[in-house]
Amino acid sequence: MVLSRKTKEAIKTALAMTITYAIALSMDWDRPYWAGFAVAFVSLASIGQSMNKAAFRMFGTLVAVVVSLTLIAFFAQERWAFILFLSTYAGFCAYMMSGSKRAYFWQVAAFVTVIICMDAGPDPINAFNTATLRAQETGPGILVYSLVAIFLWPSSSRAGFNAAATDLASIQRQLYQAYLGLMSGQ
């Protein structure tokens, strides 16, 4: 029986989601759905795309942890200043998203910061727990999906890349020959 590519991708994502939830629930984490979200959001058509998005998600989460805990530490008693700086940071991230190759990194850095800050409320201990939990659950979700994607029906976009590079080289050769002909008077 031959499975279609869509079916294989669905099986990989479902298997990674199941394993991730099993890990999160067996470790009695408060919000296992964050690990599941990580799996769902990094599952893409090829391994390279998934790894790239996974790296952006993890690094964005780590930046958000640092920024949110810093904002909470600096503005623990100043609500208006806290909201002003949080809004400014989210606006900066939105600005950095426009036209950037790392738009997903900036998106994650912004929304995870807002999640941690708003979930913390007035309690800085809760902020630290929320921040560490977010990073703790995002990591295994990404790791499990990465391992499942690498070992179970890995799909690469190398053939498409090679075909595109060959086509572009052929077009460049034709263009060179045409210009060479023009220069020689043909």
Side-chain angles (χ1 to χ4, degrees):
M1 176 164 81
V2 178
L3 298 174
S4 70
R5 182 175 178 165
K6 288 181 180 182
T7 304
K8 290 177 182 179
E9 292 301 319
I11 291 171
K12 285 194 300 192
T13 304
L15 179 63
M17 185 80 71
T18 304
I19 293 170
T20 301
Y21 264 103
I23 292 169
L25 291 173
S26 69
M27 301 194 73
D28 200 27
W29 288 340
D30 287 342
R31 298 180 180 134
Y33 53 87
W34 281 348
F37 283 154
V39 170
F41 291 133
V42 301
S43 85
L44 293 172
S46 72
I47 292 174
Q49 291 173 331
S50 294
M51 295 301 146
N52 189 34
K53 194 169 184 181
F56 285 156
R57 187 167 188 90
M58 194 68 228
F59 289 133
T61 299
L62 294 176
V63 167
V65 165
V66 171
V67 169
S68 60
L69 292 178
T70 303
L71 287 175
I72 290 169
F74 283 155
F75 305 109
Q77 300 298 321
E78 299 292 331
R79 291 186 180 119
W80 287 107
F82 174 76
I83 291 298
L84 174 72
F85 278 91
L86 179 61
S87 300
T88 302
Y89 174 73
F92 170 75
C93 288
Y95 172 76
M96 293 301 291
M97 283 174 55
S98 61
S100 173
K101 292 181 181 178
R102 296 169 188 85
Y104 188 66
F105 165 80
W106 292 108
Q107 178 186 358
V108 171
F111 82 79
V112 173
T113 300
V114 173
I115 287 172
I116 293 170
C117 287
M118 293 300 116
D119 190 51
D123 185 12
I125 303 274
N126 188 30
F128 181 76
N129 289 339
T130 301
T132 56
L133 187 66
R134 183 72 188 208
Q136 177 185 15
E137 292 189 14
T138 299
I142 289 171
L143 178 66
V144 168
Y145 179 78
S146 299
L147 291 174
V148 168
I150 288 170
F151 293 121
L152 187 65
W153 298 306
S155 62
S156 175
S157 58
R158 182 177 298 194
F161 174 76
N162 288 340
T166 302
D167 289 345
L168 288 174
S170 172
I171 291 170
Q172 287 295 322
R173 185 179 47 77
Q174 289 172 358
L175 183 64
Y176 173 73
Q177 287 175 347
Y179 283 142
L180 192 61
L182 284 174
M183 288 176 29
S184 67
Q186 294 177 350

